[in-house]
Amino acid sequence: MYFVKGKVTRQAHVDIPEGCCEEEYARRGFFGRTSHLYRRQPPVNWSHIEGDLRPHAFELPKLEGLRSGDYKRGRVPFLRNQDIELLFAIITEAMPYYFRNADADEVLFMHRGEGVIETDFGALDYEAGDYLVIPRGTVYRLIPRRETALLVIASAGEVEIPDRGIVGKHALFDEGVINVPEPDQDRDLSEGPFEVKVQHQGRISTITYPFNPINVVGWKGDLTVWQLNIRDIRPIHSERYHLPPTAHITFLMQNAVICTFLPRPLETGDAGALKVPFYHANIDFDEVIFYHDGEFFSRGGIEPGMVTFHPQGIHHGPHPKAVEAVAGKERTNEKAVMIDTRHPLELTQEARSAEVQDYWQSWMVKEEE
Ligand SMILES: [Fe+2]
């Protein structure tokens, strides 16, 4: 059943009726039943919110407990649910032990820095902009050459690449750009002890070996550590239509996705096409965006290293200034990582230490002086 009532546009996100803004009210992350509502005022222009539900923003480098010198203790969790845990870490020294997460697959998004990751499968050099995908149960160790800040997305389910549908399997990135480690045949096998810290059910056990546990001389198969740099992702776009965030999905997980927003042309081919995201009520997904680099065109006051968190049940959309600012622009140079989760995320105690207190007020339209 499809209905049309009142003042609308024939093509969503294009030629919005004069004096209105568009809201997309949609199930299943813009894939299910949908209605477009044409409103006289943006649904985010509230004047007061009472209660817990509100948009949040965090300055991750201010999280309490960072830089503790220890990778495991210094990975500070800020949001979590039964499927996903999000953590942030800053490390300067080589980890003195190995780590194995028996609870989750991990996607490490390297925000700043460079170095080496040693794993059961071999070593890889890493740099800013890398995604390192580490399947549950793989031993690894980070050896920074420069101070390294990273976002950790720990997923209870496997991390997979989505089907590319009608754009074909080489779109967004060709699997040829993925790096996997080579085992080191001449590894120093000096005597230990060597420690492997294993996370199981959230607790750490330490296993000590008299030899280096990274001792693989060969491997074969389709389960391994892999590396993808965001420079090798080629976003798709339409110059006449604002594509939904699902066009930018990089990884699928259990009840969650990771999207990568990258520099791309804006919608300049049609004067009536929206250039900024439409307003939306998150009804089926919580939405977390980590701002990596560039200028974030739909939000003011956001710097690299910050995160916004828009929970289910409350609207969000572009900031008022963003709509004007983007009018003359032809491109966006933002680089950001978005994590959408089907089930609600909880803020951790640590997250409160880095919260931008007045973020929920950032859409409020101030009276002109
Ligand atoms: Fe959104």
Side-chain angles (χ1 to χ4, degrees):
M1 290 186 295
Y2 189 90
F3 305 96
V4 178
K5 300 286 178 191
K7 227 193 247 189
V8 301
T9 177
R10 292 175 68 206
Q11 169 64 55
H13 320 332
V14 180
D15 297 332
I16 309 305
E18 185 70 33
C20 295
C21 62
E22 182 184 63
E23 173 186 340
E24 185 156 303
Y25 177 65
R27 304 308 301 260
R28 296 171 50 210
F30 310 117
F31 264 82
R33 289 183 297 140
T34 303
S35 280
H36 292 98
L37 292 92
Y38 298 92
R39 295 185 181 274
R40 296 221 179 266
Q41 282 91 18
V44 291
N45 289 9
W46 41 67
S47 50
H48 185 66
I49 298 177
E50 185 128 1
D52 293 340
L53 180 62
R54 63 192 57 210
H56 298 269
F58 309 100
E59 293 180 72
L60 295 189
K62 292 189 176 167
L63 281 169
E64 246 167 41
L66 281 180
R67 299 170 192 273
S68 71
D70 178 273
Y71 177 63
K72 185 60 190 78
R73 273 189 293 129
R75 298 174 4 140
V76 181
F78 57 96
L79 287 166
R80 60 163 75 102
N81 67 13
Q82 64 266 51
D83 302 307
I84 295 291
E85 185 174 49
L86 302 177
L87 311 98
F88 189 66
I90 297 177
I91 53 168
T92 48
E93 306 289 330
M95 287 163 61
Y97 54 83
Y98 293 97
F99 176 60
R100 178 163 80 212
N101 193 337
D103 288 334
D105 282 38
E106 292 188 357
V107 178
L108 310 184
F109 177 71
M110 311 316 270
H111 171 52
R112 296 278 182 264
E114 60 175 43
V116 176
I117 180 169
E118 289 183 339
T119 80
D120 278 327
F121 297 90
L124 287 166
D125 286 325
Y126 68 77
E127 59 177 316
D130 276 347
Y131 284 113
L132 299 169
V133 181
I134 304 168
R136 173 201 294 249
T138 295
V139 170
Y140 73 91
R141 181 167 88 107
L142 293 168
I143 306 160
R145 279 195 287 265
R146 283 178 41 217
E147 180 175 274
T148 295
L150 64 150
L151 175 72
V152 181
I153 302 150
S155 163
E158 279 188 51
V159 177
E160 295 172 303
I161 299 173
D163 183 67
R164 311 295 166 76
I166 59 168
V167 295
K169 68 179 196 172
H170 304 295
L172 279 83
F173 63 88
D174 185 324
E175 288 178 13
V177 304
I178 289 173
N179 293 324
V180 297
E182 293 282 336
D184 182 356
Q185 304 290 340
D186 307 313
R187 199 171 161 77
D188 169 20
L189 292 178
S190 54
E191 287 185 18
F194 292 90
E195 286 183 349
V196 181
K197 290 189 187 288
V198 182
Q199 179 182 325
H200 178 248
Q201 298 207 311
R203 297 186 296 277
I204 294 290
S205 300
T206 303
I207 302 173
T208 304
Y209 289 93
F211 52 86
N212 191 325
I214 300 280
N215 56 4
V216 170
V217 293
W219 63 268
K220 64 197 254 309
D222 59 4
L223 178 63
T224 185
V225 170
W226 56 277
Q227 177 185 43
L228 169 69
N229 193 283
I230 58 170
R231 84 170 84 80
D232 290 324
I233 301 177
R234 296 159 195 272
I236 55 170
H237 81 104
S238 160
E239 65 166 0
R240 300 184 59 211
Y241 175 74
H242 188 88
L243 295 175
T246 38
H248 306 285
I249 293 181
T250 311
F251 303 106
L252 290 178
M253 300 170 295
Q254 172 182 300
N255 296 319
V257 297
I258 300 176
C259 301
T260 313
F261 297 124
L262 292 169
R264 60 190 185 277
L266 291 169
E267 294 73 8
T268 52
D270 191 322
L274 283 185
K275 285 181 169 177
V276 288
F278 36 84
Y279 295 97
H280 44 288
N282 282 17
I283 47 180
D284 286 330
F285 281 85
D286 273 15
E287 180 184 307
V288 181
I289 303 184
F290 174 76
Y291 299 89
H292 169 57
D293 203 7
E295 246 178 83
F296 306 108
F297 78 108
S298 67
R299 306 234 188 290
I302 295 288
E303 302 290 329
M306 290 178 75
V307 152
T308 55
F309 167 43
H310 297 119
Q312 293 169 45
I314 192 158
H315 289 85
H316 66 280
H319 277 131
K321 294 258 186 297
V323 184
E324 293 161 39
V326 88
K329 283 202 178 157
E330 302 212 327
R331 293 186 63 79
T332 155
N333 70 352
E334 69 174 8
K335 295 178 187 168
V337 172
M338 179 170 83
I339 302 103
D340 278 8
T341 66
R342 173 65 192 87
H343 295 122
L345 292 158
E346 293 276 347
L347 262 70
T348 63
Q349 198 52 41
E350 293 91 333
R352 307 274 179 199
S353 61
E355 178 142 26
V356 179
Q357 295 300 335
D358 57 359
Y359 175 68
W360 66 276
Q361 297 174 311
S362 55
W363 290 271
M364 284 181 171
V365 180
K366 307 251 166 27
E367 292 295 320
E368 294 292 330
E369 277 146 33

